[in-house]
């Protein structure tokens, strides 16, 4: 029911505005406006379908863990750089803190990247301009701990337990246009694949604090030294 409602809304808009164009809106300004609306709703549908298919793959166990020794500090900096345009546009200050202990941990780098990117993207989107966002990684025993903390509006306490549900959005009118309510459901799934968890709380001073805890995978045996043909030939 949720899926059909979420898909039907943009579809109805696209059809309605396409019909209006076909009915001969000659006013170029109006045409441009309608085409813009169609483009926005189509982009939203594309996001919905992409994220729904990803959740379906995760549900079906079709995205197994692919562990690799990962420099999490580099990964966090990469996410910050990827989101550089949005961060600059809102004038946020984003700091990345990662100690030497996360320079070589064994996790699934692509999935950790998606987790962090989703959380930082949310922090950037929901924090009003000029916000402060802190992204950090640390090792706690056998666990990799990732924190994404912002100084935005936070999440009303009644909604704290529900934001990881599919399609759950705190306030659709306040939410960013194009938000699907699926991002945090994907984050939770990816964390659980790592035998981990994700939690959110509000900071006493205001703002949301997301924490992801992932079981680090045991290190591989050291690979044998590289074979160098020149050594043999002497
Ligand atoms: P969306 O596509 O709507 O961002 P998510 O699943 O990523 O979907 O998030 C679910 C809801 O949780 C959002 O709609 C928003 O209401 C709330 N939320 C997520 N991150 C934050 C944050 N950093 N600050 C405030 N609210 C947030």
């Amino acid at each position: 029911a949720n899926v059909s409602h979420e898909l039907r809304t943009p579809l109805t808009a696209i059809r309605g505005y396409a019909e209006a164009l076909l009915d001969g809106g000659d006013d170029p300004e109006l045409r441009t406006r309608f085409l813009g609306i169609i483009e926005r709703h189509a982009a939203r549908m594309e996001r919905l379908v992409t994220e729904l298919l990803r959740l379906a793959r995760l549900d079906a166990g079709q995205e197994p863990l692919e562990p690799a020794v990962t420099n999490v500090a580099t990964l966090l900096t990469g996410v910050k750089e990827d989101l550089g345009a949005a961060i600059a546009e809102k004038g946020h200050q984003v700091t990345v803190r990662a100690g030497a202990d996360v320079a070589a941990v064994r996790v699934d780098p692509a999935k950790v990247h998606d987790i962090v990117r989703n959380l930082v993207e949310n922090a950037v989107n929901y924090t009003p301009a000029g916000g402060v966002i802190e992204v950090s990684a640390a090792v706690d025993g056998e666990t990799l701990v990732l924190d994404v903390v912002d100084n935005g509006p936070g999440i009303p306490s009644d909604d704290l337990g529900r934001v990881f549900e599919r399609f759950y959005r705190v306030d659709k009118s306040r939410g960013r246009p194009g938000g699907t309510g699926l991002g945090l459901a994907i984050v939770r799934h990816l964390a659980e694949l790592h035998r981990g968890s994700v939690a959110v709380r509000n900071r006493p001073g205001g703002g949301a604090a997301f924490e992801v805890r992932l079981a680090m995978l045991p290190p591989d045996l050291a690979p044998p030294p590289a074979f160098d043909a020149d050594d043999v030939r002497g």
Side-chain angles (χ1 to χ4, degrees), residues 122-123 126 150 154-155 163 168-170 176 179-184 210:
N122 277 348
Y126 293 111
D150 63 54
I155 294 168
V163 288
Y168 196 82
R169 304 176 69 195
V170 170
R176 61 182 145 148
T180 59
L182 294 174
L184 289 177
F210 283 85

Side-chain angles (χ1 to χ4, degrees), residues 71-80 93-103 116 120 132-139 144-150 201 203 209-211:
N71 185 335
V72 176
T74 310
L75 187 151
L76 298 188
T77 311
V79 170
K80 178 182 168 181
Q93 186 194 317
V94 179
T95 57
V96 171
R97 206 154 32 84
D101 53 352
V102 301
V116 175
V120 176
V132 178
I133 297 165
E134 290 164 18
V135 188
S136 59
V139 170
L144 173 65
V145 185
L146 302 165
D147 288 290
V148 178
V149 175
D150 63 54
R201 60 184 175 79
R203 301 164 67 208
F210 283 85
E211 182 163 280

